[in-house]
Every structure is written in structure tokens, then in C-alpha cells.
Amino acid sequence: MTQTTPTRAVPRRRGLWRRLRHDYAATPAAALVTLVCGTILVAIAWTLIDWAILRATFDPAAGREACRAAGGACWPVIAARWRVILFGLYPYDEQWRAALACLVVAAVILLSCLPRMWGLGRLAAIWATGTALFYLLMRGGLFGLTPVNEQQWGGLPLTLFVFVATAVIGMPMAIVLALMRRSSLPGIAIPAGLLIDAIRSLPLLSILFTCAIVLPLVLPDFLIGEKLYRVVFGAALFFAAYQAEIIRGGFQAIPRGQEEAAKALGLGWRQRLVRILLPQAFRLALPATINQFVIAFMETALIVVVGFMDLLASANTAFRTGEWTFAHVEVYAFIAAIYFAFVFGLSRYGAFLEARMDAGQQRS
Amino acid sequence: MDRTAPAIEITGLHKSYGGFQALRGIDLTVARGERVVVCGPSGSGKSTMIRCINQLEEHDSGTIRVLGTVLDGRLASLDEIRREVGMVFQQFNLFPHMTVLENCTLAPMLVRRLPRAEAEATAMRFLEKVRIPEQAQKYPAQLSGGQQQRVAIARALCMEPQIMLFDEPTSALDPEMIAEVLDVMVTLAQEGMTMVCVTHEMGFARKVADRVIFMDRGEIIEAAPPGQFFSAPQNDRTRQFLSQVLGH
Amino acid sequence: MARLLSFPGTRRQRELALQAVFLSALAALVLGAALTARERLAAQGLTSGFGFLRKATGWEINFALLPTTTADPYWWYLLSGLVNTLFMGAVGLSGAFALGLLVGLMRSGRNPAARLLGTLYVELFRNLPIILQLFFWYAVATALPNPRQSIEIGGALVNARGIYLPGPEIGRGIAALSALAILAGAGLAVGILAARRFRRAAPLRRQSLAALSLAAGFAVAAGLALAFRDPATPWITHPRAEGLRITGGWRIQPEFYALALTIITYGAAYVGEIVRGGLKAVPRGQIEAAAALGLTAWQRFSRVTMPLAFRAMLPMLANQSVWLMKATTLGIAVGFSDFFMVVAGSINHSGQTLELIGILMAGFLAINLTLAALMNRLDRALSLEGSSMRPRR
Ligand SMILES: Nc1ncnc2c1ncn2[C@@H]1O[C@H](COP(=O)(O)OP(=O)(O)O)[C@@H](O)[C@H]1O
Ligand SMILES: [Mg+2]
């Protein structure tokens, strides 16, 4: 094929139109993909706007009939039920304590996202203080706060409590399990490995269930305690099994020379571990660790199944009773927004850290 | 395709990455059967230039004609050119999930639509030419770097291209393997293949090049037959570069 | 600080002592738990052992592929639950992989509209608890109109009690067998595509063999369905509303499709990310080399990019499969009788807690080990000899 006219000898234009064509419709097939995806996007956006805003009812006093007539989202259900959704069965007059407790947890999480707080000691201090404060506020019984039994806890504070307690108990367990599995002594490494692998191959639900109903069978009376704490222990164990493998991965990624150099300098086992290995392992494992936190937060929702009134369960009750039985989408959208804000925020933060660490590695 | 047109004709070639100008006005004509060696400091745009010739990079402005066909972004011209232009990369880029033989028969079977038997016969011929027919059933990762690069050359030759592009084919090799690859390239040059070769192997340039081209900062600074290029470089930057690579 | 372990002997002796102490503590723990349990059970008048497995259950489960009645013994119920779980897993996994592949490709391509859609999908489904999604779909499914006002879509009826599809009238057992035949065909097809023995065969032959085995699976399924259908009914019966009852056709229960939909959509978000990671792990040079050889975009994708990406994805796909299998236990939240729900029900009714928990764990261990072994085989069959092209994590 001979091209006789030297077309395009002039500079090619990189204009907007050209760029758009290149990106959206370089070939007929690409144009078709653009068309299909674009249509879907527009349809989704329009349906959402139409339902959630244009045809929605916002008047807090509006009832079922008014919502039905408008045809869109029925937001008065949130106005009417938000206390139940957020705080479950917690005594109505004491719900300010529950709200405060949620803020404490939020503060703890925000603080631990600051790089200047990243020391074993500081992190441990923040989380221990936060947990104690949370517990004091929720449980009461001191400083003139009326005691509130764990069975009355519910909604967002319960979800946050399970999450925080899982992390606070699970993380030390994870470190210990990881160290045991890495041990050169088979009598320690093998049982640890078996435990980790067994837990990882079981569904979390079955572990929560086991903790709720089997532990009372095998524990001596003084150890049985509240069902809430047994279930939290199960969640922590599950978290620890996964997190232990993440930490172990971090250990494996440390260059061999590091430990040898530390040995050659005459550092003892504890010093090598605390000063040289653990900090590096945690750094290397940080993105995966944050990911694990995100997963652990989402998995707190599973405690519904063993009979707790967490955020998800209290949302269920909010529309299962009374006049709001039709408003399930609105209620789920409300709590989905809460879960999403937390999970999306944390995972974006993880991605940001990862990018920062990658950049740091390239420089060195 | 024009049988009389030069192998490659480049005029006024420009290429930028974001705001950075990698090529600023390259003019170059390579005749059929000509061997051109391109050298220049790292980042001077050598790779960018030869990757424009088979459109692994799209250029911004200027004309590139290969064997008479203008590369204007149409897919038809692209397909046509890529089957006539072979390329050898610095990092070999053999397909790790295929044996040596499969690497060599893939494109002839898919692009030239040769039957398997014929493609395998061709492949074996070229593997013999690069002196590793016995490795045909192995996977790339089982070979040394020099062997891999020779397979990569054979793979490109299996398409029976009219032009071969080499982008620093020996830079990723240990010194003792460089010679075996260069030997193959010399043989190829002596058989009259049109070659554009980015390399810092000045011995190779002296031996086979018809022309040596020196690039710096996206421009061709100097182009001359090797005798003149090495003995009497005209430009300061060329002299400076030569003294570095030749170790004077 | 004083050394805690100022042990007198050699290092070796100290290590032995350490292990001995640890192991005996562990043994004491297990023994203590066992003794407490025995005492408690004796106090409740329960005999331990697996004898109860042969007793009739006397309670119903609301979804079963295998035919079950209240007269069936526990072991049959447990088996039935296991089959339900496997079936749900197969549906969920294949759906999640197919949709995830699409999402991953959309996110990896150049088309901004497709990328946006893919990104929205992943961020939405990955960042909400799976059980919330399940509750949502189940609430939507059960809030559909009642059977009297069923929505009709192309011969199928949709209402709060389920989706009713036209189909031949056959028993549950035959349906399960048919599904198994299709699965076996698909498995064989994957095996043929992966097996080293067939590597040297022409790709075309390999593909047609795989297609053949897939077709054979479908043929056997269709044959079974037609051979064992109720001969008194027409070939295909259409669901018909008779007041509040719907007769004819196949009913898909809300519990089933809500859970399947949840596992598929949630899983697809993760699989999509794995696919994207796998595609990113393919070195650019590979694709450039293919381009320089003149391969077309589709040839580059199918011969170079995808085979390499798939190898990179395999370990993560294996993990994801295990995860999705475990997610079937969510069935208990909406009342789908998976293995876990049957075990929980059995514990409620028989009180044989420890035995049943043991069976539950053994069941999941078996499922996971099988999955792991399958994936390992695939991994070995596909492994790149002499190299270890793996993506960065
Ligand atoms: N894909 C790219 N994106 C941005 N800049 C690039 C890219 N490829 C090359 N460059 C830049 O273009 C310049 C020329 O690169 P190259 O042609 O590879 O040089 P050479 O091969 O001579 O070493 C370099 O400064 C390089 O950083
Ligand atoms: Mg280069």
C-alpha cells in the first residue's frame, strides 16, 4: 500500500477533541463501551437523585401515607428512629454517654493515624486509655454515672466497642502468635502454626458461635463471664490469626542482614526483637495491617447472628416494627453511610500510607 | 509497499512526555541494507526514537515513513509495519509462559498465519542461526542471559522482517555473554539486513556500521561513517561522550 | 533488668525445658477443658458420642437440594447442609469470578467511562459489611409484592416468596445431580486448559476439547432433567398464580438468591481488584514485545497478558475462594440452610454441642483443604518452569 500524499506532515494536533476521541472512541468497539457504560452511569445517577432528593419526603413530621404519595425516599423514618438505630436499647436518658463514648473511639482512631504517635508505647497508651474511658462511660457505676448492663448496650457504641476490643486484645495475641510461629523450637512453632491455620480455615461466624455456646461448657465458672466478652474474645482470636500471618510476612520481608548485624553488635534476643525487628516488621506490614483493621471493623457486623443489638441489628428493629415497615432501604442507606464513611476513610488512609512508603523506598 | 523507497525516512520528529521534550526534531533516512548505530548519553532519546519507528510510542509531530508507508496512527499501517520491522529489547522480553520454540512460532502463526509445521521449521532454522537449536523445548528462565537474547533475536527474525531494531541488546548482559550476542548481530549485518542499533559497543560500530549517529537531549548531534566518527568527531559533546565510553 | 531466664544448663537444655513447659501447659489446658465439659454434660444428663447422628431429626429445614423429610436422621441433614453449602459456593464463586473479571478489565482499561463505573462498583461493594448487603437484598426480595400481585417477566413470576422460572418438573435430587454434571464438565474444561500434558497440543484443539467437555456436562444435565421429569407433566411447565399459591415451574427462594447475589456482588469487588493487580503485574516489556512482533490487541491480550496475569493472580484467587466459601455461613442470618445453619439447628435440637462443633470444623477443614489442593494443582500445572513470576504483593 502506497501513501502518495504525505498527510500529517504538519504537527499533529493534541487538541481537546482529539484527546476525547482517543480516550472515548478510538475504535468502534471502544465507542460502544463508552456508550454502554455512560448510559449505565447516567441511569444510576438519575435514579439516585430522583429517589433520594427529587421525589423524596424530607418533612420530619410526614408519615407513611405522605411518603407513599411522593414515591421517593422517606427520610422522616430517620428523624423518627435515629436514636434507636444509633444507640439501640441503651437507656434513653443516658444516651449522651453513649454518644460521648463513640467520640472517644473516633478520637483514638484519629490519633493513631498520626505518624508521630507510632511508637509501641504511645499506641498502647492511647488505646488503653481510650478503652478504659469508653468502658467507664458505657458501663457507668463510678463518678455518679448510673450503671448500664452490657446487655443493654447497642447500636454504634456496641459496634465500636467490639471493634476496639478486638483490636486491643487481638494485636498483642497476634504478635505473640507470630513470634511463636517464627520460633526455631518446633515444640512452640508447630502448635502455634496449627492453631493459626485451623482458625484461618474456619468461618468467623462458627468461631463466634462456638465462643457464645461452647465456651461455657468447657470453662470453669469464674471464667465464663458475659457472652459479650466471650464473643469479643472469639473475634480477637480470629483477628489475631490473620494479623499474625501479616506480621510474619513483615518479618520475612526484613533483609537477612538486619538480624545478623544486630547479633554481630551483641544485642540480645529481646533487644533485637524490640529495637530492630519489630519496628521494621510493623512498618513493612503496615498497609496489610490497616487492611486487616478495615476487615475487622466490617466483620463486627456479624455479631448480629449471635444475638447482639449492634448497629446493623438496631437498624433492623428500626423498620421491622410499627409504621415504618416499608422503609428498609432508607434505614439501610443511613447505616451504610456510617459504615462506608469509616471503612472508606480508613482504606484511603491505608492507600495513602502505602504510596508514601513506596515513594520512601524509591528514594533510598 | 514501495519497493524503491528508503527503509526508514524520518522528518521533523517531535515527542514529549507531559511537558518534557524527549525528541526535538529528528531527521534521519536509513537506506535499504544500511546499518546504523545510534549512541548517546542515557536519557538522550535513543530508545524513544527507535520505539517510534515501530510505534511502540506514538509521536506528536513529524513524519515517519517505513518502507514507504506513512505511520499516521491508522491501525492498518501499524499492523503492516510491525510485521516488517523486528525489534530486540534490552530486557529480552521473552514470554516466560512459552517454550523457546513457542516464543518463536507465536507471531508467524498468529500474524503471518503460517501452519504450525512450517512455523516450527522456520523457527528451528533461525535457532540454528543463533546457535541454540538444542534449547528449543526449554523455558526462557532456564537459559542464561546471552542465550535468552539470542532467542529474542531469533524470535524477531522468524517474522522474516526487512528491518531490525536493537535497543541496547547487550546492556543487560554479563561481559562474557556480550560477545556471543554481538557475533550473531555481526552475521546478520553481513547478510545485508537493514539494522538500526542502539548500542555503546563501539567495536561493533567500527566493524559493521555504515553510519554512526550521536544523539543528545533529543537531537541528532552528529552522523558520520565510523572511521570519521571515531577519528575526527566534529562536535564537542560527541568528543566528550566518546572519551567517556572509550575510556580515554 | 534481671534476666528472667537465668537457666543453669546449656542453650540446648534451656530450649528443651522451654518447649516442655509450654507443651505441658497446653496439654493441661486441653485436659482441664475436657474434664469440665464432661462434668457439665453429665450434670445435664447428656451422653456424648456420635450415636445421635442416626436418630430422626423431627424438625424441618427450609432449603435442601437433597430430598429431606423430618423423619431423616441427623447425618442426612448434615450431608444435605453440606451439599447446600457446596452448591451455594459453586454458584457464588463462578458468579463472582465472572463478574469480577469484567470489573477488573473495566478498571484496567483506558476508557474513562468504564473505569469510573468499575471504580464506583468496587468502592461501593467492598466498603460495606457483607452481612449488611445480605440483609439489604433479603429485605428487598421479601418486600416484593405478594404472590397475588406477582410481577411477570418473560414467563417468570417474581414475588415476595421467590422467583418462579419456567422449567421441566423434576425432583430436587435430579436437579442437584444435573448441577453436579455441569460443574464436573466445567472443572474438566479448566483441567484440560491447564494440564501440562495438553500444553503441546495445538491451542485450537485444546480449546475445542475443553468446550466439548463443558458441552458434555450440559448435555448430561439436560438428559438427566428430561429423563427423570414427571412424565405426566408437559415438557416445560410455566409458573401460574392460583390465588396465593403458585404452581408449576422452578422456585428460587429469596433466601437462596439473596445470599447468592450478595456473595457474587461482594466477591466480584475483591476479584475485580485481584484481576486488576494481576494485569498490572505483567511487565510492560512483555506486551511491547508482543506488539513489536505484530500481534493484534486481542492476540496480545489473550496470548500474553492474560496467561501471565492469571498466573500472578492465582494465589490470591485461591485465598478469595476460601473466603467466599466461608461466606456461605451467612446463610444463617436469612435462613438459608447451609452447613453451618444445619449444625446450629442440630445443636439446638439435640444438645450434642461438642460433637456437632467438631463436625462443623471438620467439614470446613475438608472444604478448604480440597480447595487448596485444587488450586495447588492448578498452580503447579501453570507454574513457569525455572522462574517465579509473581506480582509484588
Ligand atoms: N514513558 C515515559 N514517560 C515519561 N518520560 C519518559 C518516558 N520514556 C522516556 N522518558 C524520558 O524521555 C527521555 C528519553 O528517554 P529514552 O529515549 O529512554 O533515552 P535513552 O534510551 O537514550 O536512554 C528520558 O529523559 C526519559 O526520562
Ligand atoms: Mg534506552
Side-chain angles (χ1 to χ4, degrees), chain B residues 51 82 93-95 97 139, chain C residues 199 285-286 288 291-292 303 387:
Chain B
R51 287 157 62 87
R82 283 186 180 161
N93 291 342
L94 292 177
F95 304 128
H97 59 305
Y139 283 87
Chain C
R199 222 6 122 73
Q286 293 290 324
E288 286 179 351
R303 301 310 174 96
S387 92

Side-chain angles (χ1 to χ4, degrees), chain A residues 68-335:
Chain A
R68 276 285 159 92
C74 183
W75 297 121
V77 63
I78 307 298
R81 299 301 234 155
W82 68 274
R83 302 267 296 222
V84 174
I85 298 176
L86 285 185
F87 303 117
L89 298 177
Y90 204 81
Y92 195 86
D93 291 332
E94 306 288 334
Q95 283 180 2
W96 61 271
R97 280 160 52 187
L100 213 55
C102 292
L103 287 182
V104 167
V105 173
V108 164
I109 292 170
L110 278 180
L111 274 179
S112 15
C113 284
L114 300 177
R116 62 188 318 189
M117 293 296 164
W118 294 349
L120 225 53
R122 282 182 194 182
L123 279 179
I126 295 175
W127 283 74
T129 323
T131 316
L133 209 55
F134 178 95
Y135 188 78
L136 176 68
L137 278 168
M138 286 297 286
R139 187 70 221 273
L142 277 181
F143 307 118
L145 298 174
T146 6
V148 179
N149 198 299
E150 278 91 346
Q151 275 138 17
Q152 288 174 288
W153 293 12
L156 187 58
L158 181 62
T159 292
L160 290 176
F161 173 75
V162 173
F163 170 63
V164 169
T166 301
V168 167
I169 304 170
M171 193 51 106
M173 267 163 59
I175 297 174
V176 171
L177 278 177
L179 290 178
M180 281 168 64
R181 191 168 201 178
R182 265 174 54 82
S183 162
S184 56
L185 310 179
I188 289 175
I190 292 174
L194 282 178
L195 182 68
I196 290 174
D197 288 342
I199 291 176
R200 280 162 54 97
S201 71
L202 290 172
L204 175 56
L205 262 187
S206 73
I207 290 176
L208 297 182
F209 189 77
T210 307
C211 289
I213 67 159
V214 181
L215 278 190
L217 280 180
V218 300
L219 287 179
D221 288 323
F222 66 96
L223 269 181
I224 292 181
E226 272 290 329
K227 181 164 115 185
L228 178 59
Y229 300 121
R230 294 200 306 270
V231 167
V232 162
F233 171 77
L237 193 63
F238 192 74
F239 175 85
Y242 277 87
Q243 182 60 26
E245 288 296 277
I246 291 173
I247 296 175
R248 196 165 70 106
F251 271 115
Q252 277 167 351
I254 300 175
R256 282 191 76 78
Q258 291 292 316
E259 178 153 27
E260 284 167 8
K263 271 186 188 162
L265 286 172
L267 300 185
W269 181 80
R270 262 179 57 100
Q271 292 164 322
R272 290 202 300 270
L273 190 65
V274 176
R275 295 302 185 80
I276 311 293
L277 297 178
L278 268 180
Q280 295 195 56
F282 261 99
R283 227 187 126 67
L284 290 164
L286 194 58
T289 302
I290 290 184
N291 194 30
Q292 192 57 37
F293 272 104
V294 169
I295 292 173
F297 182 75
M298 290 203 283
E299 280 174 341
T300 58
L302 291 177
I303 60 173
V304 159
V305 176
V306 283
F308 288 102
M309 273 293 276
D310 73 334
L311 185 57
L312 183 55
S314 55
N316 280 338
T317 58
F319 72 82
R320 289 256 161 81
T321 52
E323 61 167 332
W324 300 110
T325 44
F326 65 98
H328 50 272
V329 180
E330 289 83 350
V331 172
Y332 282 134
F334 179 62
I335 62 164

Side-chain angles (χ1 to χ4, degrees), chain C residues 107-196:
Chain C
R107 288 203 75 187
S108 312
R110 266 203 317 200
N111 190 309
R115 290 170 72 123
L116 179 61
L117 192 57
T119 307
L120 285 179
Y121 181 91
V122 169
E123 294 299 355
L124 181 66
F125 283 93
R126 208 177 49 155
N127 289 331
L128 291 175
I130 182 169
I131 189 166
L132 168 63
Q133 300 185 32
L134 175 62
F135 277 144
F136 176 80
W137 292 124
Y138 187 64
V140 169
T142 49
L144 288 169
N146 70 35
R148 224 188 284 278
Q149 281 120 29
S150 298
I151 306 161
E152 194 181 338
I153 307 169
L157 293 181
V158 179
N159 60 46
R161 305 243 324 271
I163 299 174
Y164 295 78
L165 298 174
E169 204 128 299
I170 52 170
R172 280 267 167 75
I174 299 302
L177 272 182
S178 306
L180 209 65
I182 294 175
L183 277 183
L188 198 63
V190 172
I192 287 173
L193 287 179
R196 173 145 289 148

Side-chain angles (χ1 to χ4, degrees), chain B residues 51 54 56 82 85 87 89 93-98 102 106-107 110-111 113 116 120 139 141-142 155 159, chain C residues 199-200 202-203 284-286 288-295 299-300 303-304 307-308 311 384-387:
Chain B
R51 287 157 62 87
N54 67 350
L56 288 181
R82 283 186 180 161
V85 180
M87 181 155 187
F89 300 83
N93 291 342
L94 292 177
F95 304 128
H97 59 305
M98 300 178 189
E102 285 166 341
L106 179 77
L110 290 180
V111 180
R113 310 233 162 256
R116 171 176 292 267
E120 287 186 348
Y139 283 87
Q142 296 167 308
R155 177 175 74 174
M159 286 293 285
Chain C
R199 222 6 122 73
R200 287 284 300 138
R284 250 177 69 105
Q286 293 290 324
E288 286 179 351
L293 286 169
L295 270 59
Q299 289 168 338
R300 295 199 289 270
R303 301 310 174 96
V304 178
L308 292 176
R311 285 166 170 82
L384 303 176
E385 246 147 277
S387 92

Side-chain angles (χ1 to χ4, degrees), chain C residues 23-372:
Chain C
L23 287 177
S24 18
L26 210 60
L29 208 67
V30 173
L31 199 68
L35 288 177
T36 320
R38 207 172 71 173
E39 197 178 304
R40 293 253 163 76
L41 290 175
Q44 291 176 21
L46 283 169
T47 48
S48 48
F50 289 91
F52 73 99
L53 285 176
R54 255 175 269 136
K55 282 195 221 141
T57 52
W59 44 282
E60 284 182 28
I61 53 180
N62 67 356
F63 179 98
L65 289 169
L66 303 180
T68 51
T69 66
T70 52
D72 286 326
Y74 275 97
W75 68 265
W76 181 250
Y77 263 44
L78 291 169
L79 183 68
S80 178
L82 193 61
V83 170
N84 288 349
T85 284
L86 291 177
F87 183 64
M88 177 59 77
V91 170
L93 277 180
S94 35
F97 280 18
L99 186 58
L101 180 64
L102 181 70
V103 170
L105 290 178
M106 276 167 59
R107 288 203 75 187
S108 312
R110 266 203 317 200
N111 190 309
R115 290 170 72 123
L116 179 61
L117 192 57
T119 307
L120 285 179
Y121 181 91
V122 169
E123 294 299 355
L124 181 66
F125 283 93
R126 208 177 49 155
N127 289 331
L128 291 175
I130 182 169
I131 189 166
L132 168 63
Q133 300 185 32
L134 175 62
F135 277 144
F136 176 80
W137 292 124
Y138 187 64
V140 169
T142 49
L144 288 169
N146 70 35
R148 224 188 284 278
Q149 281 120 29
S150 298
I151 306 161
E152 194 181 338
I153 307 169
L157 293 181
V158 179
N159 60 46
R161 305 243 324 271
I163 299 174
Y164 295 78
L165 298 174
E169 204 128 299
I170 52 170
R172 280 267 167 75
I174 299 302
L177 272 182
S178 306
L180 209 65
I182 294 175
L183 277 183
L188 198 63
V190 172
I192 287 173
L193 287 179
R196 173 145 289 148
R197 174 137 32 111
F198 289 96
R199 222 6 122 73
R200 287 284 300 138
L204 221 102
R205 224 188 102 219
R206 211 164 69 187
Q207 280 161 14
S208 50
L209 260 178
L212 200 71
S213 76
L214 195 61
F218 276 102
V220 169
L224 274 172
L226 293 180
F228 287 92
R229 78 196 175 88
D230 183 352
T233 59
W235 288 98
I236 300 238
T237 63
H238 288 270
R240 266 202 342 252
E242 292 172 1
L244 273 179
R245 280 190 53 225
I246 306 261
T247 56
W250 290 11
R251 175 178 174 215
I252 309 177
Q253 286 156 271
E255 294 80 32
F256 179 82
Y257 73 78
L259 182 57
L261 185 66
T262 307
I263 292 180
I264 290 172
T265 48
Y266 186 82
Y270 280 87
V271 173
E273 284 301 273
I274 295 173
V275 169
R276 192 169 73 114
L279 291 175
K280 242 166 78 178
V282 178
R284 250 177 69 105
Q286 293 290 324
I287 302 164
E288 286 179 351
L293 286 169
L295 270 59
T296 63
W298 169 249
Q299 289 168 338
R300 295 199 289 270
F301 179 75
S302 63
R303 301 310 174 96
V304 178
T305 311
M306 215 41 211
L308 292 176
F310 185 66
R311 285 166 170 82
M313 296 183 301
L314 203 56
M316 276 167 292
L317 284 181
N319 281 341
Q320 195 58 35
S321 310
V322 170
W323 201 96
L324 289 176
M325 277 315 285
K326 293 200 278 181
T328 59
T329 53
L330 286 171
I332 198 172
V334 291
F336 170 77
S337 309
D338 72 312
F339 187 47
F340 178 55
M341 183 165 166
V342 174
V343 167
S346 304
I347 290 177
N348 263 342
H349 288 92
S350 73
Q352 305 283 352
T353 312
L354 291 178
E355 295 82 353
L356 281 161
I357 290 287
I359 290 174
L360 176 72
M361 300 199 166
F364 268 97
L365 230 48
I367 292 175
N368 288 341
L369 289 179
T370 316
L371 261 179

Side-chain angles (χ1 to χ4, degrees), chain B residues 5 12 50 54 57 59 71 98 105-106 109 112 126 172 179 187 192 194 211 213 215 217-218 222-223 237-238 243 246:
Chain B
I50 73 165
N54 67 350
E57 303 286 353
H59 55 294
L71 299 177
M98 300 178 189
T105 55
L106 179 77
M109 283 167 62
R112 290 220 185 273
F126 284 110
T187 317
T194 311
R211 222 166 3 138
I213 285 174
M215 284 181 70
R217 294 178 211 159
E222 189 155 352
R237 278 191 256 165
T238 318
S243 72
L246 299 176

